[in-house]
Amino acid sequence: MSVVDGSPETVPSAPDRRREQSGWVWYDWANSVFPTSVVTVFGSLYLTAIAADAAIADKALNGPNPCPSDGDGGTNKLVDCQIAVFGLHFQAGSLWGYLLATATIIQVLIVPLLGAIADRTQNKKRMLAVSAFGGATATVLMSLVSGTNWQLGVILFILGNIGYGTSVVIYYSFIPEIATADERDGLSTRGWAFGYLGSGLALLIQLVVYLAHDSLGLTEGNAAQVAFLLSGIWWAAFTLIPLRRLKDHQRPHGQERGPGGVVLGGFRELKNTLKLARAYPLTLAFLGTYLIYTDGIATVANVSAQYGSEELNFDETVLISTILIVQFVAFVGGVLHGVVARRVGAKRTIMISLTVWLFVVGAAYFVQAGQALQFYMLAAGIGLVLGGTNALSRSLFSQMVPPGKEAQYFSIYEIGERATSWMGPLLFAAVAGATGSYRPAIISLVVFFFAGLVLMFFVPVRKAIRAVGNPEPKLL
C-alpha cells in the first residue's frame, strides 16, 4: 500500500494497481450487454409480443376483450390487446413502459441500502459476484419465457435489473480504492470504452442470429430467446476476470458481526449518509448538474430509433446498422475523452463534450428523410460523445465522494439518474404532440446540454474535492 499525494487515503502499489485496473475495466465489458441487448433491443420487442399473444389467448378462452384476432380489420394487436395485473387492465403495448417504471422504482428502494451494506462489509467483491451472477442468471432464464407467459418475463427482468443496478454501484465504488486521483479519468474512460466495444460485439452476434433466423430454422421469438441466453452467459463469463483481479480494500467499519449486523449497520449508514449529504453541497451541485445533462444524453439515445423510423422513414436495416455504428464509435469516443482529459482535465473535457452534444442534436433537426448516409454520420457524432461524457462524469464524481462512503454515494448517483430520467422523454413527447413533428421535439433536447454546460462552468470541482478530504488531481 502507498500514501497518495500526502493524503491519508491509501491505494495499492503501482504493479498491484495496474493488475486491478486491468481487471476492473472488464466488468464494463461484461455488464454492458444487459442495457444494450436486453433493455434497448430485444426485451421490449419480445415481452411486448408475448403479452399481446397472451391477450389474444385470453380473448379466445374468456370472451370479451378489446383485442382483435389476426383477421380483424388490421387493428394493431400491440395497441388494442389488453392484459390484466391484479384486476387492472392495460394495453399490451404499454407493458414495457410500465415494466421499466416498476423496475426503476424497485431499484430506488433497494440499491441505496445495498450500497450502504457494501460500504460496511469486509467482502465487497463477494457482493459484486452475487449481484452480477444473480442478474446474469435471471437474464439466462429469460430465454425460457415463451408462449403467453409474460409474467415470468416481467419477474426475471426485474431481478436482472436489480442485479445490474447493484453490481454497477459496487463496481463504481472500487474506483477510489484502485486508482490515484490522477489515474481515475483514464481508468473510467477505458472502462466505458471497453463496455461499448463488448456490448457492440455481443449485439453484432445476436443481430446476425436474429436476421438469419429463417436460415437457422428459428422464429423471430427463438432468435430473441437466443439473445437472452447469450447475454446472460456473456455477462457471467466475463465477470470472472474482474473477480480474479480485484481485491477487498475496506478497513473495519463498525462492530457488526454476521449478516444481520451488517444489514442493520447498512440501514444506519444509509440514514446517516442521507442526513450528512447536505454537509457537502458542492458534491450535490455537481450531481444535480450531471442529472440534467445525462437525462438529455439518455433521451437522445432512447428516441433516436423512433426519430429515424417515424420522422425520417428509415427501415429496420438502417436502424440496426445505426445502433452498431453508435456502439463501435462510442469505443473510440471513450478512449478519445480519456486522452483529452489527460491534457486539459476532466471538467474542461466534459464541457467540450457538452458543446459537441449541442451541435450534434442541432444537426439532427436537419437530417433529410430517406438520407441514410446523413443518419449514419449523425450516429457517429452521437457515438463520439456518448460514452466519454458519462465516463468522465463517473470519475469526477468519485473525487467528490467522502472516503468510506463510495458505494452509498454511487447508489445515489445511479438512482438519481433513473429518478430524473422522465424529464427528457416528457419534453420530447410534449413538443412532438404540440407541433405534430419530431423535428422540433429532437431539437428541444438541446436545453439539457446547454443547461448542463452553463452549470458545469460554475461548479467549483477542486473546492468540492477538498471539502470531502480527498487528494486533488493535477488537472481538472
Side-chain angles (χ1 to χ4, degrees):
M1 304 293 284
S2 61
V3 178
V4 181
D5 297 334
S7 161
E9 177 190 359
T10 57
V11 296
S13 61
D16 290 337
R17 287 204 307 276
R18 285 193 293 270
R19 175 176 170 78
E20 290 197 73
Q21 289 173 13
S22 67
W24 183 88
V25 299
W26 279 98
Y27 192 65
D28 256 315
W29 175 288
N31 76 67
S32 293
V33 70
F34 183 81
T36 301
S37 295
V38 178
V39 178
T40 303
V41 180
F42 293 103
S44 60
L45 297 175
Y46 188 66
L47 290 184
T48 302
I50 291 289
D53 289 342
I56 292 174
D58 180 68
K59 176 189 177 183
L61 289 174
N62 301 314
N65 185 328
C67 176
S69 65
D70 292 338
D72 285 345
T75 309
N76 187 343
K77 71 176 183 178
L78 298 183
V79 174
D80 295 285
C81 295
Q82 291 199 356
I83 53 180
V85 178
F86 301 123
L88 300 175
H89 288 80
F90 58 90
Q91 295 169 340
S94 301
L95 172 65
W96 188 247
Y98 287 126
L99 178 55
L100 290 178
T102 302
T104 299
I105 292 171
I106 292 173
Q107 275 200 347
V108 169
L109 297 174
I110 292 178
V111 172
L113 173 61
L114 295 178
I117 293 172
D119 281 332
R120 298 189 75 83
T121 181
Q122 295 304 295
N123 205 330
K124 186 189 293 185
K125 193 169 73 169
R126 181 180 296 170
M127 285 194 67
L128 175 62
V130 170
S131 55
F133 290 141
T137 300
T139 304
V140 167
L141 292 177
M142 286 181 68
S143 65
L144 302 179
V145 176
S146 62
T148 61
N149 194 7
W150 60 269
Q151 295 94 336
L152 176 61
V154 165
I155 294 170
L156 291 172
F157 176 80
I158 290 175
L159 292 176
N161 207 50
I162 292 172
Y164 171 77
T166 304
S167 67
V168 163
V169 165
I170 298 171
Y171 167 65
Y172 287 1
S173 72
F174 274 97
I175 295 176
E177 299 176 352
I178 64 174
T180 66
D182 291 312
E183 293 173 340
R184 295 181 192 179
D185 293 338
L187 175 64
S188 185
T189 52
R190 282 201 308 277
W192 215 283
F194 238 53
Y196 277 108
L197 182 60
S199 60
L201 288 173
L203 181 60
L204 178 60
I205 296 170
Q206 293 162 344
L207 288 175
V208 168
V209 174
Y210 184 78
L211 295 176
H213 65 269
D214 285 334
S215 60
L216 295 173
L218 303 173
T219 65
E220 287 189 1
N222 294 149
Q225 290 173 301
V226 171
F228 295 140
L229 178 64
L230 290 177
S231 295
I233 293 174
W234 181 286
W235 185 359
F238 286 109
T239 295
L240 295 173
I241 300 175
L243 291 178
R244 284 181 62 86
R245 297 184 183 180
L246 289 171
K247 300 177 181 178
D248 284 306
H249 297 277
Q250 292 109 310
R251 295 178 295 275
H253 199 319
Q255 303 299 317
E256 301 90 354
R257 294 183 181 275
V262 171
V263 171
L264 292 175
F267 273 108
R268 290 194 294 269
E269 189 79 9
L270 177 60
K271 179 181 178 181
N272 291 335
T273 296
L274 295 175
K275 183 184 300 184
L276 296 176
R278 291 174 295 179
Y280 305 111
L282 298 181
T283 298
L284 297 180
F286 173 82
L287 180 59
T289 300
Y290 166 75
L291 294 180
I292 291 173
Y293 65 74
T294 197
D295 192 15
I297 293 172
T299 304
V300 171
N302 290 336
V303 304
S304 56
Q306 182 182 15
Y307 184 67
S309 174
E310 302 295 332
E311 184 68 35
L312 304 179
N313 301 319
F314 291 125
D315 59 23
E316 185 180 72
T317 302
V318 172
L319 297 177
I320 289 174
S321 300
T322 302
I323 292 173
L324 293 174
I325 288 172
V326 170
Q327 291 296 121
F328 290 114
V329 175
F331 167 74
V332 178
V335 174
L336 182 62
H337 276 71
V339 172
V340 175
R342 284 198 297 272
R343 297 181 181 276
V344 303
K347 177 180 175 178
R348 292 187 183 92
T349 307
I350 291 173
M351 294 177 66
I352 294 171
S353 187
L354 292 174
T355 302
V356 175
W357 270 109
L358 287 171
F359 283 102
V360 169
V361 175
Y365 180 87
F366 298 99
V367 174
Q368 296 174 315
Q371 295 296 314
L373 180 59
Q374 294 181 13
F375 196 55
Y376 292 152
M377 293 176 65
L378 178 67
I382 291 174
L384 197 62
V385 287
L386 180 63
T389 315
N390 282 335
L392 289 176
S393 301
R394 176 173 69 180
S395 63
L396 191 54
F397 184 71
S398 75
Q399 311 269 14
M400 305 179 195
V401 173
K405 296 184 180 293
E406 291 84 5
Q408 297 168 69
Y409 271 78
F410 270 115
S411 67
I412 296 172
Y413 178 92
E414 280 291 295
I415 293 306
E417 181 180 328
R418 285 162 173 75
T420 59
S421 61
W422 55 270
M423 296 188 297
L426 178 63
L427 177 62
F428 182 84
V431 174
T435 62
S437 171
Y438 289 108
R439 290 188 185 273
I442 198 72
I443 204 169
S444 71
L445 300 178
V446 299
V447 66
F448 293 97
F449 302 104
F450 182 75
L453 178 61
V454 172
L455 292 172
M456 180 62 74
F457 177 80
F458 288 105
V459 176
V461 293
R462 192 173 294 277
K463 186 177 179 181
I465 294 170
R466 285 199 301 268
V468 299
N470 284 330
E472 302 174 38
K474 295 176 183 177
L475 287 175
L476 281 174

